[in-house]
Amino acid sequence: MTATNHISEWAEAILLRQPRAIAKAATAIENRSAESEALLRVLWPHTGKAVVFGITGPPGAGKSTFVSALIKELRAESKSVAVIAVDPTSPFSGGAVLGDRVRMLDHHADPQVFIRSMATRGHLGGLAPATMDLAVLADAARFDAVLIETVGVGQDEVEIAGMADATAVVLVPGMGDDVQAIKAGILEIADVFIINKSDLAGASKLESELQMMLSLAHRPDNWVPPIVKTIAKEGQGIAQSLSALRSFLSQGLLADRAAARWVPRLEQMWKEKIGSCVSRQQIKEAAAAVARRDRDPYEIVNEWFKQIRN
Ligand SMILES: Nc1nc2c(ncn2[C@@H]2O[C@H](COP(=O)(O)OP(=O)(O)O)[C@@H](O)[C@H]2O)c(=O)[nH]1
Ligand SMILES: [Mg+2]
């Protein structure tokens, strides 16, 4: 079989939503293999139908619980759902991936639900492109909704959520000096605020703090992010959250927004492309030479740049 045939048959199977073809593609995308790029180019013309929701917020806010409840809500509407969970994998917390998987097990038997956990380790600069490519894959496989869960701690993760069609920032009461304590980057990408764990004390206080903050802020698109109180573990407020996300989508500003969202995404893709032209080993060797004062770092970078253009 020729390489092109192989890719087109693979793409065909994905368009038919065959689980094994999708899983294999997801792995190829995570590994940033040359094959995956060829595959994505074939899939691309078949995309653009799925709605991509970003769900972000601090660790433990209840994002996975919220996502799980959102799957249920979407399945009740007979919508198919793909979930991409970008998990933090630090040497100190190995349990996050498993925790998310277990909670989402409810949906694992359902062929209309696809769940992929992605490790953040080993994606030097390529985390965002890999995640967004998984969303392209899910879109091509005709999933109606794609939910991307990221932990709003690293800049990469915050950016990923910001590339979605609509982004929910999940907060919880009792976060100390609340709104001030939250990373500014997270707040900037919120199209909808979710105050989860509203069964706990302090939900109203957080709500008024957020309202205060929103009354002072001003978005260029004039959108005022709604605030929805939820108890995700009991499925409360989930339908309202979905409506809030959809009301943001239905503003009629979609074309402008889509173009604006493609700016960081193309930047990321470009960065990844450049990064992939020079190996880690080459960089290490160059670094040693620079440290020894054998080489000039400016010249090295210029050489690499010339290499790309050839
Ligand atoms: N009290 C309360 N706990 C919740 C709620 N939603 C989730 N949790 C709990 O919060 C913890 C963290 O949830 P998880 O979904 O893993 O958070 P994530 O790290 O943001 O994905 C779990 O023990 C959940 O059971 C809620 O609405 N109220
Ligand atoms: Mg989680």
Side-chain angles (χ1 to χ4, degrees):
M1 207 192 312
T2 67
T4 323
N5 267 341
H6 162 65
I7 295 287
S8 54
E9 277 178 26
W10 191 1
E12 215 47 57
I14 289 163
L15 297 178
L16 294 169
R17 206 188 281 161
Q18 287 175 8
R20 280 181 57 193
I22 296 172
K24 207 179 119 202
T27 304
I29 286 169
E30 278 203 69
N31 295 334
R32 315 310 287 146
S33 74
E35 252 192 343
S36 77
E37 187 177 311
L39 181 68
L40 286 160
R41 291 188 60 182
V42 177
L43 294 177
W44 176 255
H46 301 276
T47 62
K49 293 181 204 86
V51 178
V52 182
F53 292 122
I55 292 100
T56 194
K63 297 178 298 298
S64 296
T65 314
F66 179 78
V67 164
S68 211
L70 209 51
I71 296 174
K72 228 181 199 167
E73 189 71 29
L74 288 159
R75 290 300 297 123
E77 295 180 0
S78 299
K79 297 262 185 332
S80 53
V81 192
V83 178
I84 304 162
V86 182
D87 296 306
T89 34
S90 79
F92 306 106
S93 70
V97 176
L98 188 63
D100 283 349
R101 286 219 175 120
V102 169
R103 228 159 286 127
M104 290 179 185
L105 265 184
D106 302 352
H107 308 285
H108 261 288
D110 185 345
Q112 305 301 319
V113 178
F114 170 78
I115 297 170
R116 185 87 184 187
S117 277
M118 192 155 108
T120 55
R121 205 187 295 149
H123 285 277
L124 279 170
L127 180 64
T131 307
M132 297 317 291
D133 284 346
L134 284 179
V136 169
L137 170 69
D139 190 348
R142 294 177 293 110
F143 284 95
D144 298 309
V146 180
L147 312 179
I148 303 179
E149 177 190 334
T150 64
V151 180
V153 286
Q155 194 50 43
D156 249 5
E157 290 91 328
V158 172
E159 272 172 24
I160 290 165
M163 289 178 206
D165 296 322
T167 298
V169 169
V170 182
L171 301 174
V172 281
M175 293 173 51
D177 213 352
D178 292 345
V179 181
Q180 269 72 10
I182 302 157
K183 244 184 117 221
I186 299 191
L187 298 182
E188 279 161 22
I189 59 159
D191 301 314
V192 172
F193 282 103
I194 306 295
I195 300 181
N196 190 40
K197 307 197 186 185
S198 288
D199 51 316
L200 303 182
S204 301
K205 179 171 169 276
L206 176 57
E207 187 179 24
S208 43
E209 280 183 17
L210 273 177
Q211 269 161 353
M212 173 74 84
M213 188 198 78
L214 292 174
S215 69
L216 298 173
H218 175 77
R219 281 175 48 144
D221 59 359
N222 293 322
W223 173 256
V224 181
I227 304 169
V228 184
K229 285 197 252 179
T230 61
I231 305 174
K233 69 169 184 182
E234 285 164 23
Q236 281 188 42
I238 307 304
Q240 292 87 330
S241 304
L242 189 56
S243 309
L245 284 164
R246 282 175 173 159
S247 67
F248 173 69
L249 292 177
S250 63
Q251 285 177 97
L253 290 165
L254 277 184
D256 287 352
R257 299 191 147 278
R261 271 196 315 276
W262 270 101
V263 171
R265 195 162 159 193
L266 280 171
E267 275 170 356
Q268 287 275 8
M269 287 172 74
W270 175 232
K271 256 194 257 174
E272 186 188 35
K273 195 73 172 178
I274 291 178
S276 70
C277 295
V278 178
S279 74
R280 188 84 187 156
Q281 187 56 32
Q282 270 177 290
I283 294 178
K284 274 190 184 164
E285 283 165 16
V290 170
R292 286 193 307 268
R293 287 288 191 280
D294 283 350
R295 292 289 314 266
D296 157 359
Y298 307 98
E299 189 194 347
I300 290 177
V301 171
N302 276 323
E303 266 175 30
W304 286 341
F305 188 61
K306 277 185 205 140
Q307 205 173 301
I308 296 168
R309 295 200 295 180
N310 286 336

